[in-house]
Amino acid sequence: MSKVFIQENFFPPELYNEIVQLMIKAEYNPPNEKEREAHKGAYWHEHTLPNDCDIQVEIKKLIKEKFNFKVSKFDYSAYTMVGASDRPRPHTDMSRERTHQCLIYMHGEESANNGTGFYHKASSEHLELSMHIGFKQNRAIFFSSDVWHSPLQWAGNGSFRYSICNFFS
């Protein structure tokens, strides 16, 4: 069953501030060519985190504590800068390595249209926006990887945002 959960103040304040400073100074790259083709463009840039780094270990601990989910294996974690201002790009993140995702909003303008939209299939060929979660710093969104979602900057009044994307099972 597909579910979406939200947790405010995911990181303790001191750790949150420390990670934001690291994110702002990090070097970001566009996604690989295969990802750019799949999403019809590079609306995000990323800085990959090494598996088992201190931040990923802390995220794993906090997912267990705040969402009551035991991460057995991380597939991928990255700092991201997202700014999909031209159009919606609904997608899922399903793969054998990914059953769940935790998206943590870190730095940017707090607004509804800087967040993420979640969709449901209205028909076999049509997705319909059914929920949107606004961008708020230090907000975590935990959801199953089969949930259709897209950044919301295309809806207006959005700007680039920094987040941490975590894919795991």
Side-chain angles (χ1 to χ4, degrees):
M1 176 184 280
S2 302
K3 296 186 179 186
V4 178
F5 301 93
I6 302 168
Q7 176 66 53
E8 306 295 342
N9 303 312
F10 184 74
F11 289 113
E14 188 175 300
L15 180 57
Y16 165 80
N17 290 328
E18 182 181 319
I19 295 171
V20 167
Q21 291 308 307
L22 292 171
M23 292 180 81
I24 290 170
K25 295 174 186 174
E27 185 175 320
Y28 291 81
N29 297 301
N32 65 47
E33 188 174 340
K34 181 181 173 187
E35 290 287 326
R36 289 193 309 264
E37 287 174 11
H39 294 285
K40 296 181 176 88
Y43 62 85
W44 79 97
H45 289 73
E46 58 193 9
H47 175 89
T48 304
L49 297 173
N51 278 340
D52 299 320
C53 68
D54 291 345
I55 293 170
Q56 195 180 65
V57 168
E58 184 67 20
I59 290 169
K60 181 178 182 177
K61 181 185 99 182
L62 290 170
I63 287 171
K64 173 68 176 149
E65 177 184 314
K66 299 190 182 251
F67 296 111
N68 196 30
F69 182 89
K70 185 175 191 242
V71 174
S72 58
K73 179 183 177 212
F74 270 93
D75 176 44
Y76 179 77
S77 293
Y79 297 155
T80 61
M81 284 190 326
V82 175
S85 61
D86 59 341
R87 62 186 169 79
R89 291 181 168 88
H91 63 281
T92 67
D93 295 312
M94 292 189 315
S95 83
R96 288 179 291 136
E97 305 296 319
R98 305 172 175 179
T99 60
H100 293 82
Q101 178 178 348
C102 185
L103 174 63
I104 309 163
Y105 295 148
M106 296 299 290
H107 183 69
E109 185 180 333
E110 293 190 357
S111 77
N113 290 347
N114 230 18
T116 304
F118 292 88
Y119 298 76
H120 71 275
K121 284 196 166 210
S123 69
S124 62
E125 296 182 18
H126 180 71
L127 294 172
E128 188 172 281
L129 182 64
S130 56
M131 170 179 34
H132 63 76
I133 298 172
F135 181 93
K136 184 176 179 195
Q137 295 181 144
N138 205 12
R139 172 180 283 165
I141 307 169
F142 178 90
F143 54 99
S144 51
S145 60
D146 62 344
V147 173
W148 289 88
H149 61 283
S150 174
L152 283 172
Q153 286 98 337
W154 60 269
N157 300 325
S159 61
F160 267 91
R161 68 173 194 224
Y162 290 88
S163 303
I164 305 175
C165 289
N166 300 278
F167 305 99
F168 49 88
S169 58

